[in-house]
Each structure stands twice: as structure tokens, then as C-alpha cells.
């Protein structure tokens, strides 16, 4: 169990940001990232690790809500190995609210935190990391179904 390290909270656990970066470090082939919100590349929580993995040939797929944030992320990395998908809401106020990471179809992060600086430094957030090919497959299959239903638009 991982927890954000908000400077405003007196309680601290195993650091959420470190736990997420730890599973990303294991990536050899692929990373799938789901988050409701993203920062710009310069202050995006995972930017350094993602840049490193893209340069090593890892395929990275990102799913989120905000076109402007996702376009900024996509254009900053400028890599053919990066696939960015923006939520195409089926109804008013519909959000893609999943916060998860899947690495090499095996390692997972699932939690409450958006993968942003704000979530890690100002909020009370939690998450779990682990080795679970079954959970990883379930999430990847769900994302595929959403894509097949035209609920995501690819940025190009």
C-alpha cells in the first residue's frame, strides 16, 4: 500500500511516487498509463522515466480526459512509440476516471491519485502496486473495448 506524501499531512507511508516510478523502471516492452489529469511535460510526475523508456524502444499508451493536457504531453515527447488517447465523452459530465499503470502486461498500479504533481504533493492519495498479469489483462482488455466503442480519440 502506497500513500502520497503531502506536506500538509502529518502522516506518511510508503511513498506513492516512488512506488509508481519503481514499477515503471521494470518496463522492457510496454507501459499503459490511465489518469484523469496530467501536467505539462516539464512538471509531469513521470516525464523523466517515460522519456528514458521511450528512448529505449518501449511502447507507451496514455489515456486521459483533457485534450489540451494530452496534446501538450504528446507534442513534448514527439515519439512514434507514444500513443495518446483522449476521452470522447458519451454524455455530458462523463469522465474517464481510471488511475492505473500497467507495465509489460504484468506489473500494475491502481489507486486514487492522478499521475500529477498536485496529487503527489497536495492531496491525500493511496495506491497499490503489484505483479498481477490477470488484473493487467483485465484493464488492457477494458481499454480496448472502450477504444473499439469510439470512446477514445487518438491524437496524431
Amino acid at each position: 500500500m502506497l500513500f502520497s506524501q503531502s506536506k500538509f499531512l502529518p502522516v506518511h507511508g510508503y511513498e506513492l511516487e516512488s512506488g509508481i516510478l519503481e514499477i515503471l523502471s521494470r518496463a522492457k516492452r510496454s507501459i499503459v498509463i490511465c489518469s484523469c489529469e496530467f501536467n505539462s511535460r516539464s512538471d509531469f510526475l513521470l516525464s523523466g522515466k517515460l522519456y528514458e523508456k521511450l528512448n529505449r524502444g518501449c511502447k507507451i499508451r496514455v489515456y486521459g480526459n483533457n485534450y489540451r493536457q494530452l496534446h501538450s504531453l504528446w507534442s513534448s515527447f514527439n515519439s512514434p512509440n507514444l500513443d495518446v488517447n483522449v476521452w470522447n465523452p458519451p454524455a455530458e459530465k462523463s469522465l474517464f476516471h481510471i488511475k492505473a499503470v500497467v507495465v509489460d502486461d504484468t506489473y500494475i498500479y491502481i489507486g486514487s491519485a492522478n499521475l500529477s504533481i498536485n496529487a503527489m504533493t497536495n492531496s491525500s492519495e493511496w495506491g497499490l502496486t503489484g505483479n498481477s498479469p490477470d488484473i493487467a489483462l483485465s484493464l488492457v482488455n477494458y481499454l480496448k473495448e472502450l477504444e473499439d466503442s469510439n470512446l477514445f480519440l487518438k491524437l496524431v
Side-chain angles (χ1 to χ4, degrees):
M1 185 70 117
L2 309 168
F3 299 94
S4 59
Q5 304 299 301
S6 173
K7 59 188 170 194
F8 304 110
L9 299 175
V11 178
H12 297 282
Y14 185 72
E15 188 176 286
L16 183 57
E17 182 177 349
S18 295
I20 295 169
L21 290 171
E22 183 180 309
I23 67 163
L24 288 177
S25 296
R26 298 175 185 213
K28 304 275 189 265
R29 300 178 317 279
S30 66
I31 299 170
V32 176
I33 299 173
C34 303
S35 187
C36 188
E37 298 288 330
F38 291 91
N39 297 99
S40 67
R41 180 174 180 258
S42 63
D43 63 356
F44 177 48
L45 170 68
L46 310 174
S47 63
K49 186 57 70 180
L50 294 181
Y51 186 74
E52 171 192 322
K53 293 300 179 176
L54 285 167
N55 284 335
R56 291 187 178 175
C58 246
K59 302 284 185 196
I60 299 177
R61 290 187 335 215
V62 176
Y63 297 86
N65 283 301
N66 187 298
Y67 177 86
R68 183 187 53 74
Q69 291 173 349
L70 290 165
H71 189 271
S72 175
L73 185 72
W74 177 79
S75 61
S76 295
F77 284 105
N78 193 24
S79 171
N81 289 332
L82 179 63
D83 179 26
V84 178
N85 303 275
V86 64
W87 183 243
N88 183 24
E92 188 177 343
K93 298 185 181 181
S94 173
L95 287 176
F96 177 73
H97 210 249
I98 295 173
K99 289 95 168 195
V101 175
V102 175
V103 171
D104 291 343
D105 298 321
T106 301
Y107 303 102
I108 60 163
Y109 156 76
I110 298 173
S112 67
N114 285 312
L115 303 177
S116 67
I117 300 294
N118 185 57
M120 298 300 141
T121 60
N122 295 324
S123 303
S124 175
E125 305 282 0
W126 71 275
L128 296 170
T129 59
N131 178 333
S132 180
D134 292 339
I135 293 174
L137 180 63
S138 291
L139 179 58
V140 168
N141 286 341
Y142 181 70
L143 294 169
K144 176 79 171 115
E145 287 181 40
L146 292 173
E147 283 184 63
D148 291 347
S149 299
N150 295 316
L151 291 171
F152 280 105
L153 303 174
K154 288 195 185 303
L155 295 183
V156 289

